[in-house]
Amino acid sequence: MFADDDMPKPKKLHEIGCDLTFLSAGDLDERITLLKNEIARLEADKAAKTSSRKAAENFFR
């Protein structure tokens, strides 16, 4: 029915290095929270992958 190009693209909530001049303090707080949550998600995934790798290394010793 619809081509992928016809679908609306979701708006980016934050782009690294973007101009922050016209953002309010509240907008900045929202972006800080968003980025902190993303950092926590990345660290959790990294920890899970590191744990899996260590378990595999110990198994094959």
Side-chain angles (χ1 to χ4, degrees):
M1 299 263 180
F2 290 103
D4 288 340
D5 294 337
D6 296 337
M7 300 296 291
K9 305 259 189 281
K11 184 179 176 185
K12 291 182 182 179
L13 299 176
H14 182 75
E15 185 175 331
I16 303 298
C18 67
D19 184 16
L20 306 175
T21 304
F22 299 108
L23 296 176
S24 68
D27 290 338
L28 292 171
D29 284 337
E30 288 177 14
R31 289 181 184 215
I32 289 168
T33 300
L34 172 80
L35 293 170
K36 284 181 179 180
N37 289 340
E38 182 64 7
I39 289 168
R41 186 180 76 89
L42 291 167
E43 288 175 339
D45 193 58
K46 178 183 173 188
K49 289 178 181 182
T50 302
S51 174
S52 296
R53 180 181 174 132
K54 286 180 182 177
E57 287 174 353
N58 288 336
F59 179 77
F60 289 107
R61 281 188 184 176

